[in-house]
Amino acid sequence: QKEVEQNSGPLSVPEGAIASLNCTYSDRGSQSFFWYRQYSGKSPELIMFIYSNGDKEDGRFTAQLNKASQYVSLLIRDSQPSDSATYLCASYTGRRALTFGSGTRLQVQP
Amino acid sequence: DAGVIQSPRHEVTEMGQEVTLRCKPISGHNSLFWYRQTMMRGLELLIYFNNNVPIDDSGMPEDRFSAKMPNASFSTLKIQPSEPRDSAVYFCASSLQGRDTQYFGPGTRLTVL
């Protein structure tokens, strides 16, 4: 079992809709979680991170963490074609550096 | 402020040749990471340095790969001899500490013919 799992997609949503990206992790010792966005041919860039159970909002982005269910999600409100990218979920367990999932490809249809 | 700098951005070489990738982390960052990304395997951590000391090299695929960090502002990843299966994008990233947000460089696209 991979430490961080994501559905590879593609996840296709119409412009203006809410995109929901999901990530599960296997290590209950995971302390913090990061969402990165990667455009094709570019390097990953941080969108947001979350440490505590519950929701964390930043503009159109909301990260949700449920440690009991070992589940992290990223919601993108009012999706735009420019949000089309691969979204990488990563966890930090304290033992080593970040562990990345394989990413979910999001397509926002105009 | 400059981000993570990597060179070269593209490298095309022939099987058996030595390849050296270079990275300059963000000034003040104490942790440096080398990743490899392919379509099949995604983003894989190769090695992680903290304060110039290798902490975790369990991701280094085999003895053909080696990495050094002689000082806080420079690291190299060397492949010798290179093989076609090494073709990938190699990213360098840095962070204040290992647990913190990592900032990625633009990557080096390596093609081994």
Side-chain angles (χ1 to χ4, degrees), chain A residues 38 41-42, chain B residues 6-13 19-21 34-46 59 61 64-65 77 79 82-92 106-113:
Chain A
Q38 186 176 23
K42 301 295 185 183
Chain B
Q6 290 187 247
S7 64
R9 295 292 305 276
H10 301 273
E11 177 81 25
V12 180
T13 190
V19 174
T20 299
L21 310 180
W34 282 101
Y35 291 91
R36 175 172 69 177
Q37 188 174 43
T38 61
M39 289 293 292
M40 291 298 295
R41 300 175 67 89
L43 193 64
E44 301 174 279
L45 177 68
L46 299 178
R64 298 185 297 106
F65 286 68
L77 177 68
I79 308 173
S82 58
E83 296 182 4
R85 61 192 168 118
D86 301 330
S87 297
V89 180
Y90 290 80
F91 288 106
C92 176
T108 295
R109 182 172 295 277
L110 173 65
T111 303
V112 183
L113 303 174

Side-chain angles (χ1 to χ4, degrees), chain A residues 32 34 36 38 41-44 46 49 88 92 96-98 100, chain B residues 33 35 37 43 45 48 56 58 91 98-99 101-102 104-106:
Chain A
S32 54
F34 300 77
Y36 283 80
Q38 186 176 23
K42 301 295 185 183
S43 57
L46 180 74
F49 57 85
L88 301 167
Y92 175 74
R96 62 194 304 257
L98 298 186
F100 283 84
Chain B
F33 312 84
Y35 291 91
Q37 188 174 43
L43 193 64
L45 177 68
Y48 154 39
D56 182 354
S58 59
F91 288 106
R99 64 178 180 274
T101 300
Q102 294 182 19
F104 285 76

Side-chain angles (χ1 to χ4, degrees), chain B residues 54-76:
Chain B
I55 301 300
D56 182 354
D57 65 355
S58 59
M60 295 287 264
E62 50 199 271
D63 291 345
R64 298 185 297 106
F65 286 68
S66 62
K68 294 183 180 180
M69 191 165 185
N71 57 61
S73 59
F74 183 66
S75 177
T76 60

Side-chain angles (χ1 to χ4, degrees), chain A residues 2 7 15-17 22 34-36 42-43 47-50 58 70 72 76 88 98 100 102:
Chain A
K2 290 184 180 179
N7 187 318
E15 184 175 355
N22 305 315
F34 300 77
W35 282 101
Y36 283 80
K42 301 295 185 183
S43 57
I47 297 175
M48 61 193 307
F49 57 85
I50 186 167
D58 184 0
Q70 296 176 241
V72 191
I76 307 175
L88 301 167
L98 298 186
F100 283 84
S102 56

